[in-house]
Every structure is written in structure tokens, then in C-alpha cells.
Amino acid sequence: MKIYNLENSFISAEFLSLGATVLRLTIKPLERNVILTNRNLADYKKADAGYYGATVGPVAGRIKNARYKIGEKVVELDKNEHNKNTLHGGPNGFSFQEFTVKEQTKERIVFMYEHFENVDKFNGDYIVYVVYTLLSDGISAEYAVKTKERTLLNITNHAYFNLDSSGDILKHELKANTIGYYDFDDEQINTNFIKLSPGDALDLSKKKELKELVFNPALYKRPSCGLDHLYVLHDGKIVFKGQNLSLEVTSNYAAVQLYATNFPAPYLVENFGKLQKHAALAIEPVDVVREKDGKYEEIEIGADETYYRKITYKFTLF
């Protein structure tokens, strides 16, 4: 594993070659790292360490019964959740692979990973590019793949944010132009889409403190035991605010998965030590992963198609 750095007068961004991971995002005027960072780099190789800042793929989310169909072809995957489903690309997904740096300038770093289907069982051989670009007030992350055959792709970053870099995020505020969210079954497989109207308890069109969502009876039940839901947005934008810092996340994905660290990983984290519940919010822009008759049409990419997604993270002091 190697560490790389991009920085300007406002932000310092550190990256890990393993998983093309965002290791630290330090807001320099505050001298504050606002994402979760494992104290021990070796923990990034562990499947139960939370995927902090990692590139997640080929498919972020859950594949039911570790199996999908492309046309009439059935693809069998490795199981890494409940010995039944495939989560976040499986035990050999992108998060656990070593990426190569193909280019680095003062403002940009390009990671590359050559995917072979015999590694994680997701069909197709292709090259994945992950590009991080420094902005005056944040960073952007871009994901590009040129496929040779039909396959599934849903690549994202799995950073967890605590804008105060201490305590929990229950008083952080969240706002987004929400259309609705997905309910799920007892294995957290997405099922029904639930449309939201302004004023609904889970609507985010007006800012809410995280505790209003985390402890809402509609969410605070098994299996999620709190906020771990796929929201569909009108404009791909979500705003997250701490005591004196706000984060605006925008993307060209269809949805965003929000996870409030309901089940903290057991490893030590910088600035926190042993992590407590609701220490940070994972903001994961994604497309909708939902199975129908064994197929996942929302994330299916055609042969010779270019997959391209972009996330922008912008910070504002107040």
C-alpha cells in the first residue's frame, strides 16, 4: 500500500493505493480530518472494517443470493454476507484490490485497476479508472469503465463523514430534494419504492437533524436498526451540516445510500479510538440495485458501453 497526497490552501486529500481509497480529507483552516480513517492501515484489508473511504465495486449494494442474470446467462458470485448474498462487490471486490497510479499532477491523481472476472466473479474483463481532482473547496471523484460485454456496474466511494471530527453526528443536519426511498426485506434487499411528500417524517426537503431520522420508528428497527436507506433524489444533491462546516455532495447517480454507522466496526479510528454508534454518516451516491427475476436492469451496462459517474464534495465554513 502506498499513500498519495493532493493539497491546496484549503484542503489536504490523502489517498491509499489499496482500493483507491480516500484516506483523509483535512480542512486546513480547521486542522480537521472530516472522514473516518483507520489507525492501522492493515485494517483496510479487512472485510468488517467498514469500507472507510474505499472505492466500492463492481457493484455497491447487495446482490440477492449472490447470483444475477445477464440475458440468459447466470453469473454465480462469492458470498460475503449471511453466507447468502454478495455485498459491495464481494470478498474480492475493488475495495481490497491494489490500484496503480497512472498519472499525478498538483491537482489530479488517476488510479487504474484491471478487472478480471475470475477475481471477484462479476462477468467481464475491463479497466477501471478512478480520478480524484482537487477543487478550491473540496474534491471530485470520477469513475470510468469501457466494457467489452454486458455486465453490472455500480461503483462509488464509501467515505464516512463527521464534520466536527468528534462525538456523534446526531445533531448534524441533513437536507436533500427527495423523491422517495426504498424499503427492504429482513436481509436488507431493496424491495418497494416509497414516495415521499413534503412534510413526511422521512422527507429531507427541509433540513432535519440526524437524530430525527436515526430514531424514527419507521427506520429504527431490524435489520438496519437506524438509517441505512437508499434515497432517490430530484437533483443528485445532498447537504450535510456540522457545527461550523457544511458539505454539499452532488453526483450524476440516481440515488444515494445513507448509513449512520448503526453497527460500528471493531477497529480503532483516528480521532475517535473505538468507534461508537452514529459516529459518522456514510454518504454513498449509487444507482438503484434492485432484483427482478434475477436481473438488475438499473445497473446493467451494455457491451462496448462507457460507464461514467462523478461525485463532487464541496465544503463551506460558516
Side-chain angles (χ1 to χ4, degrees):
M1 286 184 280
K2 295 182 179 180
I3 296 175
Y4 300 86
N5 177 256
L6 298 175
E7 64 178 301
N8 57 25
S9 61
F10 181 77
I11 191 167
S12 172
E14 295 176 72
F15 308 95
L16 193 64
S17 56
L18 185 76
T21 295
V22 183
L23 184 64
R24 295 181 186 88
L25 285 180
T26 301
I27 307 304
K28 295 173 77 170
L30 299 175
E31 298 182 341
R32 182 186 301 168
N33 174 27
V34 294
I35 63 173
L36 295 187
T37 302
N38 282 313
R39 282 189 185 177
N40 187 346
L41 289 183
D43 291 342
Y44 284 94
K45 297 181 178 179
K46 298 175 181 177
D48 61 346
Y51 299 89
Y52 301 153
T55 299
V56 177
V59 173
R62 293 172 173 85
I63 300 294
K64 184 178 179 179
N65 296 324
R67 179 186 303 118
Y68 66 89
K69 291 176 70 176
I70 289 284
E72 296 306 312
K73 177 182 179 181
V74 177
V75 178
E76 300 283 350
L77 304 171
D78 293 324
K79 301 171 183 177
N80 66 329
E81 188 181 53
H82 308 310
N83 196 33
K84 185 175 182 180
N85 305 316
T86 299
L87 173 67
H88 290 336
N92 297 302
F94 294 171
S95 306
F96 309 112
Q97 303 302 324
E98 192 72 19
F99 282 66
T100 301
V101 171
K102 300 301 292 181
E103 176 190 336
Q104 183 176 5
T105 66
K106 290 183 179 180
E107 297 180 341
R108 184 172 182 259
I109 187 166
V110 180
F111 288 96
M112 185 198 81
Y113 170 64
E114 192 168 2
H115 172 266
F116 296 104
E117 66 179 53
N118 64 334
V119 174
D120 57 32
K121 308 297 174 59
F122 283 85
N123 72 298
D125 296 343
Y126 46 80
I127 295 175
V128 181
Y129 291 95
V130 179
V131 182
Y132 294 109
T133 302
L134 203 63
L135 310 173
S136 63
D137 54 359
I139 66 167
S140 67
E142 298 169 90
Y143 307 95
V145 178
K146 181 66 179 290
T147 61
K148 297 178 182 178
E149 61 181 277
R150 290 167 67 188
T151 190
L152 303 185
L153 286 173
N154 190 29
I155 308 169
T156 194
N157 185 272
H158 206 295
Y160 291 68
F161 294 90
N162 181 319
L163 300 180
D164 300 335
S165 195
S166 63
D168 58 46
I169 42 87
L170 293 176
K171 291 187 177 181
H172 279 51
E173 294 177 346
L174 197 62
K175 184 178 180 181
N177 195 3
T178 48
I179 298 173
Y181 70 97
Y182 281 89
D183 201 2
F184 45 72
D185 64 17
D186 58 2
E187 294 179 357
Q188 287 190 263
I189 302 295
N190 292 326
T191 54
N192 301 322
F193 177 73
I194 299 174
K195 188 174 181 179
L196 289 170
S197 299
D200 288 351
L202 301 181
D203 174 54
L204 300 177
S205 59
K206 292 186 178 180
K207 64 184 179 182
K208 281 187 169 63
E209 288 190 345
L210 257 293
K211 63 185 178 183
E212 296 180 61
L213 295 170
V214 168
F215 299 122
N216 188 294
L219 304 186
Y220 200 71
K221 58 184 180 181
R222 291 188 178 278
S224 66
C225 297
L227 180 64
D228 188 5
H229 290 68
L230 183 65
Y231 271 89
V232 177
L233 310 178
H234 281 286
D235 53 8
K237 181 171 74 173
I238 189 161
V239 178
F240 190 49
K241 296 181 72 173
Q243 291 182 5
N244 59 358
L245 183 69
S246 69
L247 166 65
E248 180 183 283
V249 180
T250 56
S251 79
N252 62 343
Y253 294 80
V256 60
Q257 184 81 23
L258 299 174
Y259 171 57
T261 324
N262 308 324
F263 300 97
Y267 306 103
L268 297 179
V269 176
E270 291 181 3
N271 300 329
F272 292 89
K274 186 177 180 181
L275 211 60
Q276 301 300 311
K277 277 188 175 183
H278 317 309
L281 179 69
I283 302 175
E284 310 158 50
V286 287
D287 291 309
V288 176
V289 179
R290 187 168 57 156
E291 179 266 350
K292 184 177 180 181
D293 300 325
K295 296 185 177 182
Y296 291 81
E297 294 180 352
E298 285 104 330
I299 58 169
E300 188 172 310
I301 305 300
D304 297 318
E305 186 175 343
T306 298
Y307 173 92
Y308 176 79
R309 298 291 186 274
K310 182 176 182 179
I311 310 169
T312 301
Y313 307 88
K314 291 188 176 184
F315 297 90
T316 304
L317 295 166
F318 61 91

